[in-house]
Amino acid sequence: MTIVLSIIVLLIIVIAGLAVFSSYVANKVEKALPPQGKFVDIGGDRIHYVEQGSGPAIVIVHGLAGQLLNFAYLPMQELARSHRVILIDRPGAGYSTRGAQSSAAIFSQAATVAGFIDALKLDKPMLVGHSLGGALALAVALNHPQSVSRLALIAPLTHAETDPPAAFRGLAIPSALMRRVISHTLAIPLSIKTGAKVLEVVFGPEPVPKDFRVKGGGLLGLRPRSFYAASTDMLAISADMPTMERRYATLRLPIDVLYGRQDRVLNYQRHGEALQQKIPHATLKLVDGGHMLPVTAPAMTADWLLAIANG
């Protein structure tokens, strides 16, 4: 009995130590990378966003486990010369928060994005989505067509995946309670240990920029709430995708897609070419590169966006 009690006490000490360490790291990260923009409440969600420039609006949405600093490598001043460029943190990501009653499902997040567009009184902006953000953009077009004028999708998720991409398998934690416990104990130490290898997969075949953890906001993933939100997002992705796939042919607005042939996260044939087959008027531009084109090829990505935005 004494041995069992000793083991229990030791486990409690270890768990408490991991929780204290995770909280310490999160506080350090938020001091180093505080929020840079404004906040607006959309239903139960609180959305953090940054904007620059004036003119026709471009709203840009990031992907899974990301946040708006993922677009910090784009030549924003060039884009903002002729457009009002707005970057948002998805619900639960970056410095945005997801309401207690809000779902992480794609249609639910799309409703928040549509509500954001309405709250800022934007006149049918061009909606840009990267990776999971691409799926959100498509969902906005399907369910809230009055909100947007056209879509520009960068390495978008467009079809259901039977298995999570290799880089994100560690997020597959079905139990909400276990997600919460792991978020506050093991997730941050493990992320510190394995983060470099995960980024190599996400960015490959291009190298990860040395300043990505700060400039690109990579450090913001070292917070319990970031891990919990990303895990919840990944598990909720599949629910709405089959319905979306059946409805793609109904879309009439202009849609442009940019994909890297060497993308190691999402296959351009399964998600780019397959979308074009369902939406014949959509354009697909294939380039040499991986999944993180806004970071690894910012000038080319910005030129592509401006060409689309200017019609």
Side-chain angles (χ1 to χ4, degrees):
M1 186 66 178
T2 303
I3 295 176
V4 173
L5 183 59
S6 298
I7 293 173
I8 292 174
V9 171
L10 180 60
L11 284 173
I12 292 173
I13 292 173
V14 170
I15 291 171
L18 289 170
V20 170
F21 175 76
S22 298
S23 178
Y24 169 78
V25 171
N27 288 334
K28 293 282 286 184
V29 166
E30 293 190 345
K31 286 181 181 178
L33 295 173
Q36 300 179 357
K38 305 173 186 176
F39 292 87
V40 61
D41 292 326
I42 309 296
D45 302 329
R46 191 167 193 241
I47 300 300
H48 174 241
Y49 68 99
V50 172
E51 63 177 315
Q52 185 175 345
S54 60
I58 301 175
V59 177
I60 306 180
V61 186
H62 63 84
L64 180 66
Q67 27 64 45
L68 60 80
L69 285 175
N70 287 172
F71 302 106
Y73 295 83
L74 293 176
M76 206 57 64
Q77 291 184 339
E78 182 180 342
L79 292 171
R81 286 195 189 101
S82 55
H83 292 81
R84 181 183 178 187
V85 184
I86 304 169
L87 310 175
I88 73 171
D89 283 332
R90 289 189 298 98
Y95 279 100
S96 291
T97 56
R98 180 178 290 139
Q101 305 303 316
S102 297
S103 168
I106 290 176
F107 284 159
S108 178
Q109 293 197 52
T112 297
V113 172
F116 173 85
I117 291 170
D118 185 60
L120 267 64
K121 296 180 170 55
L122 305 178
D123 183 19
K124 301 192 73 157
M126 179 172 90
L127 184 56
V128 181
H130 174 238
S131 195
L132 174 58
L136 259 64
L138 286 163
V140 171
L142 287 168
N143 289 355
H144 312 275
Q146 74 287 350
S147 297
V148 292
S149 60
R150 71 184 304 153
L151 304 182
L153 311 177
I154 306 168
L157 170 74
T158 66
H159 290 71
E161 290 278 325
T162 54
D163 295 308
F168 299 110
R169 284 174 189 160
L171 297 173
I173 306 170
S175 166
L177 176 60
M178 287 305 299
R179 281 203 303 277
R180 190 73 69 185
V181 171
I182 292 172
S183 296
H184 288 276
T185 55
L186 294 171
I188 306 311
L190 288 176
S191 295
I192 292 172
K193 182 178 180 181
T194 65
K197 291 183 179 179
V198 171
L199 287 178
E200 285 178 6
V201 175
V202 173
F203 275 81
E206 290 105 343
V208 182
K210 293 181 179 180
D211 60 356
F212 177 74
R213 288 166 179 79
V214 175
K215 182 175 180 178
L219 287 175
L220 287 170
L222 297 179
R223 301 176 299 166
R225 70 189 190 100
S226 296
F227 181 89
Y228 183 85
S231 177
T232 304
D233 282 338
M234 196 188 73
L235 291 166
I237 287 172
S238 60
D240 295 326
M241 293 304 300
T243 300
M244 290 175 60
E245 292 171 31
R246 291 192 294 270
R247 295 173 57 196
Y248 284 151
T250 67
L251 291 172
R252 295 292 178 265
L253 80 172
I255 299 173
D256 299 273
V257 182
L258 177 66
Y259 241 111
R261 295 184 183 91
Q262 293 80 34
D263 194 317
R264 295 177 181 176
V265 177
L266 298 173
N267 180 275
Y268 77 88
Q269 295 170 316
R270 175 168 177 75
H271 295 278
E273 292 180 351
L275 181 70
Q276 192 178 39
Q277 289 173 4
K278 291 184 171 69
I279 311 174
H281 69 269
T283 71
L284 173 62
K285 179 176 181 178
L286 297 176
V287 297
D288 288 329
H291 190 66
M292 298 298 289
L293 295 174
V295 176
T296 59
M300 180 275 294
T301 302
D303 289 344
W304 178 77
L305 286 172
L306 277 174
I308 295 168
N310 292 328

